[in-house]
Amino acid sequence: MPPAQELHTPRARLREVRLDDAEALLDIYGHPQGVRYLGRPPQTMEQVQTRLQRMREDIDRGEAAFWVMTDPDADRALAYLGFFRWDAPHQTAELGYVLAPARWGQGLMREVLPVLVRHGLEARIDPGNVASIKLVERLGFKREAAFRERTLNADGTREDLLLFGLLRPEFQEHGTR
């Protein structure tokens, strides 16, 4: 599969994921707030490098598409976002994204996600992640299910997970409101 197409919005640039993004993405994955809805503890540089290698492998196999988000005229990763859990026969994928905590609350994902969301998608969100729930609902996603105790945390506790879906006609109707 070819590299991800570079995309632009007024305040962001989406470019292909590179292995040298590990240091910047450690700002997210190594930060307790950055991973609080991912069901895992903060990660080390080695773990982030392994994650990026797996992302590249998934992309190369045609099983995912990932981008990093930067400021328009910069190269340092502020977020990663993309599609995974592709189900080609059913034309669905799951949307995932993480943003550096220092950039939360600025409306960046609200600006960027509509550029990516053009087909039927799913988003799985921790019920406590109110900002993400509001974001996907603004984009037209509908709550479809609640998975009880779906996420196993590193400390052995379990948390629920909400499933939201977006169908192509809903996106076309909803646009970027």
Side-chain angles (χ1 to χ4, degrees), residues 22-35 38 41-45 47-48 101:
E23 182 182 333
L25 292 177
L26 187 61
D27 289 347
I28 298 168
Y29 289 109
H31 192 289
Q33 290 295 88
V35 297
L38 301 180
Q43 297 186 332
T44 65
M45 175 63 84
Q47 290 169 315
V48 173

Short mmCIF file of all heavy atoms in Angstrom, two decimals, residues 22-35 38 41-45 47-48 101:
data_model
loop_
_atom_site.label_atom_id
_atom_site.label_comp_id
_atom_site.label_asym_id
_atom_site.label_seq_id
_atom_site.Cartn_x
_atom_site.Cartn_y
_atom_site.Cartn_z
N ALA A 22 9.07 8.58 17.44
CA ALA A 22 8.96 7.98 18.78
C ALA A 22 9.18 9.00 19.89
O ALA A 22 8.42 9.03 20.86
CB ALA A 22 9.95 6.82 18.92
N GLU A 23 10.18 9.85 19.78
CA GLU A 23 10.45 10.81 20.86
C GLU A 23 9.27 11.75 21.06
O GLU A 23 8.85 11.99 22.19
CB GLU A 23 11.71 11.61 20.54
CG GLU A 23 12.06 12.58 21.64
CD GLU A 23 13.29 13.42 21.31
OE1 GLU A 23 14.15 12.97 20.53
OE2 GLU A 23 13.37 14.54 21.85
N ALA A 24 8.70 12.27 19.98
CA ALA A 24 7.56 13.18 20.10
C ALA A 24 6.33 12.44 20.64
O ALA A 24 5.61 12.98 21.48
CB ALA A 24 7.26 13.81 18.74
N LEU A 25 6.09 11.22 20.17
CA LEU A 25 4.92 10.48 20.63
C LEU A 25 5.06 9.99 22.07
O LEU A 25 4.07 9.68 22.72
CB LEU A 25 4.59 9.34 19.67
CG LEU A 25 4.11 9.81 18.29
CD1 LEU A 25 3.87 8.63 17.37
CD2 LEU A 25 2.85 10.67 18.40
N LEU A 26 6.29 9.98 22.57
CA LEU A 26 6.49 9.66 23.99
C LEU A 26 5.83 10.73 24.86
O LEU A 26 5.41 10.45 25.99
CB LEU A 26 7.97 9.52 24.32
CG LEU A 26 8.32 9.02 25.72
CD1 LEU A 26 7.75 7.63 25.97
CD2 LEU A 26 9.82 9.03 25.93
N ASP A 27 5.68 11.96 24.34
CA ASP A 27 4.97 13.01 25.06
C ASP A 27 3.52 12.60 25.34
O ASP A 27 2.91 13.08 26.29
CB ASP A 27 4.95 14.32 24.27
CG ASP A 27 6.31 14.99 24.21
OD1 ASP A 27 7.22 14.59 24.96
OD2 ASP A 27 6.46 15.92 23.39
N ILE A 28 2.97 11.75 24.49
CA ILE A 28 1.60 11.26 24.67
C ILE A 28 1.63 9.95 25.45
O ILE A 28 1.05 9.83 26.52
CB ILE A 28 0.91 11.04 23.31
CG1 ILE A 28 0.80 12.35 22.54
CG2 ILE A 28 -0.47 10.40 23.52
CD1 ILE A 28 0.40 12.18 21.09
N TYR A 29 2.31 8.95 24.89
CA TYR A 29 2.27 7.60 25.46
C TYR A 29 3.02 7.48 26.78
O TYR A 29 2.76 6.55 27.54
CB TYR A 29 2.81 6.59 24.45
CG TYR A 29 1.86 6.36 23.30
CD1 TYR A 29 2.16 6.82 22.04
CD2 TYR A 29 0.66 5.71 23.50
CE1 TYR A 29 1.27 6.62 20.98
CE2 TYR A 29 -0.24 5.51 22.47
CZ TYR A 29 0.09 5.96 21.21
OH TYR A 29 -0.78 5.78 20.17
N GLY A 30 3.94 8.38 27.06
CA GLY A 30 4.67 8.35 28.32
C GLY A 30 4.03 9.19 29.40
O GLY A 30 4.50 9.21 30.53
N HIS A 31 2.97 9.89 29.07
CA HIS A 31 2.29 10.82 29.99
C HIS A 31 1.05 10.14 30.58
O HIS A 31 0.22 9.64 29.83
CB HIS A 31 1.90 12.06 29.19
CG HIS A 31 1.45 13.21 30.01
ND1 HIS A 31 0.26 13.23 30.70
CD2 HIS A 31 2.04 14.40 30.25
CE1 HIS A 31 0.12 14.39 31.31
NE2 HIS A 31 1.20 15.12 31.06
N PRO A 32 0.88 10.13 31.89
CA PRO A 32 -0.29 9.46 32.49
C PRO A 32 -1.62 9.97 31.92
O PRO A 32 -2.54 9.18 31.71
CB PRO A 32 -0.17 9.78 33.99
CG PRO A 32 1.28 10.07 34.20
CD PRO A 32 1.78 10.68 32.92
N GLN A 33 -1.74 11.26 31.67
CA GLN A 33 -2.98 11.79 31.11
C GLN A 33 -3.14 11.37 29.65
O GLN A 33 -4.25 11.16 29.17
CB GLN A 33 -3.02 13.32 31.20
CG GLN A 33 -3.18 13.82 32.63
CD GLN A 33 -4.52 13.42 33.21
OE1 GLN A 33 -4.67 12.33 33.77
NE2 GLN A 33 -5.49 14.28 33.07
N GLY A 34 -2.05 11.25 28.93
CA GLY A 34 -2.10 10.88 27.52
C GLY A 34 -2.64 9.47 27.29
O GLY A 34 -3.24 9.20 26.25
N VAL A 35 -2.43 8.58 28.25
CA VAL A 35 -2.86 7.19 28.09
C VAL A 35 -4.02 6.80 28.99
O VAL A 35 -4.43 5.64 29.00
CB VAL A 35 -1.68 6.20 28.33
CG1 VAL A 35 -0.59 6.40 27.30
CG2 VAL A 35 -1.13 6.32 29.74
N LEU A 38 -6.66 4.72 27.41
CA LEU A 38 -6.19 3.62 26.56
C LEU A 38 -6.07 2.30 27.31
O LEU A 38 -5.73 1.29 26.73
CB LEU A 38 -4.84 3.98 25.93
CG LEU A 38 -4.82 5.24 25.06
CD1 LEU A 38 -3.43 5.47 24.51
CD2 LEU A 38 -5.83 5.14 23.93
N PRO A 41 -0.65 1.59 31.18
CA PRO A 41 0.16 2.57 31.90
C PRO A 41 1.01 3.38 30.92
O PRO A 41 1.14 3.00 29.75
CB PRO A 41 1.04 1.70 32.80
CG PRO A 41 1.17 0.41 32.04
CD PRO A 41 -0.15 0.23 31.34
N PRO A 42 1.61 4.47 31.39
CA PRO A 42 2.54 5.21 30.53
C PRO A 42 3.61 4.26 29.99
O PRO A 42 4.03 3.33 30.66
CB PRO A 42 3.14 6.26 31.46
CG PRO A 42 2.08 6.46 32.51
CD PRO A 42 1.47 5.10 32.70
N GLN A 43 4.03 4.54 28.77
CA GLN A 43 4.99 3.66 28.11
C GLN A 43 6.39 4.25 28.10
O GLN A 43 6.57 5.46 28.25
CB GLN A 43 4.51 3.36 26.69
CG GLN A 43 3.19 2.62 26.69
CD GLN A 43 2.78 2.18 25.30
OE1 GLN A 43 3.13 2.77 24.29
NE2 GLN A 43 1.99 1.12 25.25
N THR A 44 7.35 3.38 27.88
CA THR A 44 8.75 3.79 27.76
C THR A 44 9.06 4.10 26.29
O THR A 44 8.26 3.77 25.40
CB THR A 44 9.68 2.65 28.21
OG1 THR A 44 9.51 1.54 27.30
CG2 THR A 44 9.36 2.20 29.63
N MET A 45 10.22 4.67 26.06
CA MET A 45 10.65 4.95 24.68
C MET A 45 10.69 3.67 23.87
O MET A 45 10.24 3.62 22.73
CB MET A 45 12.03 5.62 24.69
CG MET A 45 12.59 5.83 23.30
SD MET A 45 11.59 6.94 22.27
CE MET A 45 12.24 8.49 22.82
N GLN A 47 8.92 0.96 24.24
CA GLN A 47 7.55 0.53 23.94
C GLN A 47 6.93 1.39 22.83
O GLN A 47 6.23 0.87 21.97
CB GLN A 47 6.69 0.58 25.19
CG GLN A 47 7.05 -0.49 26.21
CD GLN A 47 6.38 -0.27 27.55
OE1 GLN A 47 6.35 0.85 28.07
NE2 GLN A 47 5.86 -1.35 28.12
N VAL A 48 7.20 2.68 22.84
CA VAL A 48 6.69 3.56 21.79
C VAL A 48 7.33 3.19 20.45
O VAL A 48 6.66 3.14 19.41
CB VAL A 48 6.91 5.04 22.14
CG1 VAL A 48 6.53 5.95 20.96
CG2 VAL A 48 6.11 5.42 23.38
N PRO A 101 -1.41 15.93 25.51
CA PRO A 101 -2.24 16.64 26.48
C PRO A 101 -2.09 18.16 26.43
O PRO A 101 -3.05 18.88 26.67
CB PRO A 101 -1.78 16.07 27.83
CG PRO A 101 -1.33 14.68 27.50
CD PRO A 101 -0.68 14.81 26.13
#
